[in-house]
Amino acid sequence: MKFFLPITIITSTLLANVKARWHPAPGLTWDYLLGASNSVIEKSNQQVVTIDLEKAQTYVPYFHSRGQKVICYFSGGTTEYRSDRTAYEKANIVLKSGSGDGWGNQWLDIRNKAKLQPLIRNRMKRAYSYGCDAVEVDCLGIYNYRSDYTEEDSYVFAKWVAQTAHEENLSIGLKNVAGIAKRLEPYFDFAIVESCAASPNVCNIYKVFSDNNKAVFMVHYGNLGYKLSGSSLNTLIKEQGGRGFTCILNEHQYLQKNGINYNCSTGAVIS
């Protein structure tokens, strides 16, 4: 009996030192700033801000001091020009042949979990060490770009990516992949969706997240023709309205400017 109290105290102390994982609920405002300069990032006053992982060490403390949450971005399914790129190349998982992702990156062999998962885990460990509240892991849908990979390959990959984030005590958002989004919802904490109003009823796929009290952050881009007026606004309202989403408009896909949050059901700007 004399051992019970010390063990209980030790266990309680350890649990108290583990950061509770963030679970973003619908209704939060958002800024998406992957390509933004430092001065633009510092202007953001939204409740949730997404920045690149390389900016996190500097800006997570900055935003936390102002009561904001931070999502840290990196790609999980393609090469990137980061400090760890050599490790990816040495692992022999870069698919040299075939088309890339359209942004100058090559796809990775997502079926090679033994080699790829440790590399992704290392990035998540970095994110956690910087204090990121969540990660956004991009490029989960290789099957949309290469016929030698299947939808099931992407589903299995995305599922273990989410599980890896949770093992590292991070919340994780599902990025796009509408075709498998409903299957993946149980494993992800929120969703980040681009340009879903381009096709009818695609935005509505993500309602499964808001129905389960998970935030859905949707962005459309001005350079692709979206604006908060006329027929464009009518389309945005039709596809996004009344579903509990967070809706923003950013000037360009390069995400260099602060986004405009607006009411998904009316188009009214949220200041």
Side-chain angles (χ1 to χ4, degrees), residues 72-267:
C72 299
Y73 169 96
F74 66 87
S75 176
T78 63
T79 56
E80 290 185 292
Y81 290 95
R82 297 185 185 274
S83 58
D84 59 359
R85 184 182 176 106
T86 300
Y88 279 74
E89 292 173 344
K90 286 183 177 179
N92 197 30
I93 54 173
V94 179
L95 301 176
K96 302 291 187 180
S97 62
S99 61
D101 67 349
W103 292 83
N105 301 307
Q106 293 300 118
W107 291 97
L108 303 174
D109 181 8
I110 63 169
R111 290 191 288 246
N112 196 336
K113 181 181 178 182
K115 290 186 176 180
L116 182 53
Q117 187 180 32
L119 296 171
I120 291 178
R121 187 184 296 278
N122 284 341
R123 288 185 178 177
M124 290 178 174
K125 286 181 178 293
R126 283 181 61 199
Y128 184 82
S129 72
Y130 297 155
C132 300
D133 299 288
V135 287
E136 173 194 343
V137 182
D138 204 356
C139 298
L140 301 177
I142 189 174
Y143 75 96
N144 288 311
Y145 297 84
R146 295 181 60 111
S147 60
D148 49 339
Y149 286 80
T150 67
E151 179 179 302
E152 193 65 19
D153 289 330
S154 284
Y155 170 75
V156 170
F157 169 56
K159 182 178 174 181
W160 67 248
V161 166
Q163 291 170 334
T164 305
H166 292 162
E167 288 167 4
E168 298 305 325
N169 203 30
L170 287 165
S171 177
I172 182 170
L174 179 66
K175 176 71 172 287
N176 296 329
V177 290
I180 51 177
K182 287 184 178 179
R183 292 179 66 195
L184 288 169
E185 178 274 325
Y187 306 101
F188 285 78
D189 303 290
F190 58 96
I192 292 177
V193 188
E194 296 178 292
S195 304
C196 59
S199 300
N201 299 316
V202 172
C203 300
N204 195 58
I205 290 170
Y206 298 90
K207 189 172 180 290
V208 66
F209 282 82
S210 52
D211 284 346
N212 285 293
N213 201 36
K214 298 177 182 180
V216 178
F217 302 108
M218 290 191 164
V219 59
H220 288 82
Y221 301 109
N223 69 301
L224 298 182
Y226 291 100
K227 54 186 178 180
L228 298 181
S229 62
S231 61
S232 177
L233 176 58
N234 292 338
T235 297
L236 291 172
I237 291 172
K238 178 183 177 182
E239 299 299 330
Q240 299 178 126
R243 297 170 175 88
F245 301 155
T246 290
C247 297
I248 75 165
L249 184 70
N250 202 291
E251 182 179 285
H252 198 284
Q253 287 168 291
Y254 293 156
L255 294 166
Q256 296 173 323
K257 302 287 184 67
N258 297 105
I260 299 171
N261 280 250
Y262 62 93
N263 185 306
C264 305
S265 299
T266 67

